[in-house]
Amino acid sequence: MKMKKLAIGLMSGTSLDGIDIILAEISGVSLETKVKVLKEKTYPFKDSVVQKIKDAMDDQLSSSKLISSLNVELGYVFGEAILTFYKDENIDFKDISFIASHGQTIYHIPNDEDQLFRSSLQLGEGSIISELCKTTVISNFRLADIASGGQGAPLVPYADYILFSDLHISRAIHNIGGIANMTFIPKLATLDDVIAFDSGPGNMMIDKACQLLYQKRYDDQGDISRSGKIIKEMYDHMMKHPYYKLNYPKSTGREAFGDKYTLDLLNQFYMHEPKDIMHTLSMVVIDSIVDSYKKIIKKPIDELILCGGGALNLFIKEEIAKKMKETKVSVLEDYGYSSQYKEALAFIILGNQTLNHLPSNVKSATGAKDYKILGQINYYR
Ligand SMILES: Nc1ncnc2c1ncn2[C@@H]1O[C@H](COP(=O)(O)OP(=O)(O)OP(=O)(O)O)[C@@H](O)[C@H]1O
Ligand SMILES: CC(=O)N[C@H]1[C@@H]2OC[C@@H](O2)[C@@H](O)[C@@H]1O[C@H](C)C(=O)O
């Protein structure tokens, strides 16, 4: 299968900042996969849609009625965003072979709990996207991995392995989105050698605090956090969160580090300067990222590539570089890809595997028993 195809990747992540859409050319499969990014753009969610997503995640405000409706509504929101992308970028829908859509995570239960099954729910109905965009759509990538005993996350490590494995260099790719997740690929690695997990929160606490304390969507370039100093009591309290000590496989989400967690912290430490609160939140993100290498992986890392919107936070990038002196720390842009769109690109690679009846989970990352073909396919007709 060497034929080149055009495909769309769509990602709306845990930070709820918008819908990342990418157009790429893809050929080959598995290790022979070749991708070329052609266009990329982000379309913001309407505030009313963000509110419905947050309500659907909230144990008190959610209802089965809301979830049923939101699944279809997000199908329309995603499909219409793709149609706008086609218009903006002069793309003819007939040229597109497939759309791979991650969907909006509403709830993620990485491990069985009392009365609760390990599960993960992504909304944005593929049937609706397929109907609107008149193309085959692959969605719901996580459940086949869960069926095989995995956590269903993280899934991007497969794409990281295809894009960044190297014979001579050990590389880690750290995505700092709402949640921060990493893929470590030792030199000469097989897929089984890859280590990947969510290191903990990325921007979600920093964003929430910035919105409440400064009425800004995020801490642009990390300037506010840089200007503050550490609140030791708050830092020590936060670093005691049990998630950081867990060994991999492990994944997390808004359930653990979302608005409720941040609001509780702000209530507890309200007497401190806002800029010191921002600094402390950022230092927890930075140290949980660095600790994932120094305390969990404990292997030499030649190159660390930062990506996700958080790679644009220079304070985070500089502090990580200071703490990992033996590693070359760079951003995805240095490798010819944009930080914000790698996850959308990754789902094109995963969707291509699916259409070719090939697996794309990484067992060591999710804890699954087998390599599985991921996703559900809606053919357009
Ligand atoms: N210039 C900037 N300076 C600082 N932070 C930024 C900047 N631009 C974006 N960000 C951060 O990046 C976030 C968006 O990141 P991204 O789009 O990678 O998240 P996501 O894909 O929703 O999350 P996840 O990877 O967890 O699913 C914003 O909410 C903001 O915190
Ligand atoms: C359940 C879920 O949506 N998890 C996301 C989230 O955002 C980052 C991190 O937590 C990662 O585990 C995952 O996303 C990427 C796309 C992944 O599966 O690799």
Side-chain angles (χ1 to χ4, degrees):
M1 215 283 313
K2 285 270 185 268
M3 210 178 68
K4 287 181 185 161
K5 292 175 176 174
L6 289 180
I8 296 284
L10 189 144
M11 179 72 201
S12 64
T14 50
S15 65
L16 300 177
D17 63 327
I19 308 161
D20 297 333
I21 303 184
I22 189 162
L23 170 73
E25 189 178 81
I26 184 158
S27 63
V29 294
S30 305
L31 277 171
E32 258 94 64
T33 305
K34 295 273 172 290
V35 281
K36 187 169 159 209
V37 178
L38 301 175
K39 294 188 191 288
E40 47 199 20
K41 206 159 175 179
T42 299
Y43 294 88
F45 279 123
K46 280 197 208 133
D47 289 346
S48 58
V49 174
V50 172
Q51 196 51 52
K52 283 183 198 171
I53 295 170
K54 288 194 167 178
D55 287 355
M57 292 172 179
D58 185 302
D59 286 345
Q60 261 80 49
L61 301 175
S62 190
S63 66
S64 32
K65 188 162 69 177
L66 172 61
I67 289 176
S68 172
S69 161
L70 190 58
N71 182 39
V72 170
E73 179 171 356
L74 285 177
Y76 284 112
V77 169
F78 294 154
E80 275 154 17
I82 293 170
L83 294 180
T84 309
F85 181 66
Y86 288 172
K87 210 160 139 208
D88 292 348
E89 303 295 338
N90 286 319
I91 298 164
D92 185 344
F93 77 91
K94 295 195 202 79
D95 294 334
I96 303 298
S97 295
F98 68 90
I99 294 169
S101 172
H102 170 267
Q104 183 64 53
T105 296
I106 296 297
Y107 220 86
H108 183 63
I109 307 174
N111 298 297
D112 288 340
E113 293 170 20
D114 184 32
Q115 303 294 323
L116 292 174
F117 280 71
R118 186 165 33 83
S119 55
S120 195
L121 180 62
Q122 283 71 43
L123 300 187
E125 180 52 46
S127 322
I128 304 281
I129 304 175
S130 172
E131 186 66 23
L132 276 183
C133 302
K134 302 184 172 53
T135 311
T136 299
V137 174
I138 308 109
S139 61
N140 268 337
F141 284 86
R142 301 194 188 275
L143 272 296
D145 181 86
I146 289 179
S148 178
Q151 300 197 351
L155 296 181
V156 167
Y158 182 81
D160 285 340
Y161 178 69
I162 298 296
L163 296 173
F164 297 109
S165 60
D166 195 282
L167 294 180
H168 309 287
I169 294 169
S170 69
R171 281 199 176 118
I173 302 100
H174 217 117
N175 172 66
I176 312 173
I179 290 293
N181 57 306
M182 53 74 55
T183 306
F184 169 62
I185 312 168
K187 57 184 158 197
L188 269 171
T190 66
L191 197 52
D192 284 330
D193 300 325
V194 170
I195 299 176
F197 54 87
D198 293 352
S199 55
N203 304 296
M204 61 174 58
M205 306 180 308
I206 304 172
D207 283 0
K208 184 68 188 172
C210 202
Q211 286 154 16
L212 290 172
L213 301 173
Y214 291 91
Q215 290 73 52
K216 290 184 180 162
R217 273 199 38 225
Y218 54 83
D219 182 7
D220 194 10
Q221 309 207 26
D223 285 345
I224 301 174
S225 299
R226 188 197 299 279
S227 70
K229 58 182 188 315
I230 199 96
I231 306 165
K232 181 144 188 334
E233 190 194 348
M234 179 177 168
Y235 175 88
D236 290 346
H237 170 80
M238 290 183 73
M239 289 306 276
K240 281 198 195 105
H241 195 295
Y243 184 77
Y244 303 125
K245 293 226 163 52
L246 289 179
N247 206 349
Y248 57 85
K250 60 174 180 174
S251 58
T252 186
R254 278 196 169 269
E255 303 75 23
F257 296 106
D259 291 356
K260 184 174 176 314
Y261 178 71
T262 311
L263 286 173
D264 287 349
L265 284 169
L266 293 182
N267 281 330
Q268 198 175 338
F269 296 98
Y270 72 94
M271 66 297 274
H272 293 277
E273 285 276 325
K275 60 180 193 230
D276 296 342
I277 292 181
M278 294 291 293
H279 181 91
T280 306
L281 291 172
S282 297
M283 286 316 293
V284 169
V285 171
I286 291 159
D287 285 343
S288 58
I289 289 174
V290 172
D291 284 354
S292 63
Y293 299 105
K294 299 213 164 180
K295 297 193 177 160
I296 299 186
I297 292 187
K298 296 189 252 178
K299 289 192 181 135
I301 291 146
D302 299 323
E303 293 184 6
L304 170 61
I305 308 170
L306 301 179
C307 58
L312 302 172
N313 183 318
L314 296 179
F315 177 62
I316 292 184
K317 184 185 165 214
E318 287 163 19
E319 287 298 310
I320 292 174
K322 271 191 225 162
K323 289 174 183 245
M324 295 185 64
K325 288 220 164 53
E326 63 293 353
T327 301
K328 179 183 159 209
V329 179
S330 51
V331 289
L332 198 60
E333 278 67 12
D334 300 333
Y335 295 76
Y337 298 99
S338 31
S339 275
Q340 209 185 325
Y341 295 93
K342 195 201 64 178
E343 290 183 334
L345 177 63
F347 280 93
I348 292 184
I349 295 173
L350 269 55
N352 184 54
Q353 289 293 103
T354 306
L355 287 178
N356 287 287
H357 301 205
L358 290 164
S360 57
N361 57 337
V362 175
K363 289 193 300 181
S364 50
T366 62
K369 287 196 277 299
D370 290 311
Y371 287 111
K372 302 300 294 182
I373 302 173
L374 305 181
Q376 292 163 7
I377 305 176
N378 284 100
Y379 294 104
Y380 176 70
R381 204 188 112 89

